[in-house]
Amino acid sequence: MNGWPDTAFLPTSFKDCFRRLYGRLVHRYLQARRIEYAAKLLCGTSINVLQVALAIGHQSTGRFGVAFRRTYQMAPS
């Protein structure tokens, strides 16, 4: 057995189906969800920007800031 159950998609098939269904690549979709979650944390809690960046998987506030500004056209502060 190759590690994939008989009913599972192959990775490429999954990526293709996902893109057709959601209109974007899996990675881009997950990035968007993380940035949305970050915005909710920044607005609804007292967590600082560094803690939010780390909570969504960024290693620094710099890269997080770039991703956040790309989505919301404003700094994450």
Side-chain angles (χ1 to χ4, degrees), residues 31-42:
Q31 282 178 328
R33 297 293 78 76
R34 287 182 186 127
I35 293 297
E36 287 175 12
Y37 179 61
K40 287 179 184 177
L41 288 176
L42 289 168

Side-chain angles (χ1 to χ4, degrees), residues 1 10 21 29 34-35 38 40 51 62 69 72-74:
M1 184 164 198
L10 294 174
L21 184 62
Y29 177 85
R34 287 182 186 127
I35 293 297
K40 287 179 184 177
Q51 292 171 319
R69 275 189 294 280
Y72 293 106
Q73 291 76 47
M74 61 186 293

Side-chain angles (χ1 to χ4, degrees), residues 38 42 46-56 58 60-62 64-65 68 75-77:
L42 289 168
S46 61
I47 299 174
N48 68 38
V49 174
L50 175 59
Q51 292 171 319
V52 170
L54 295 174
I56 66 163
H58 282 272
S60 70
T61 56
F64 168 64
F68 193 91
S77 54

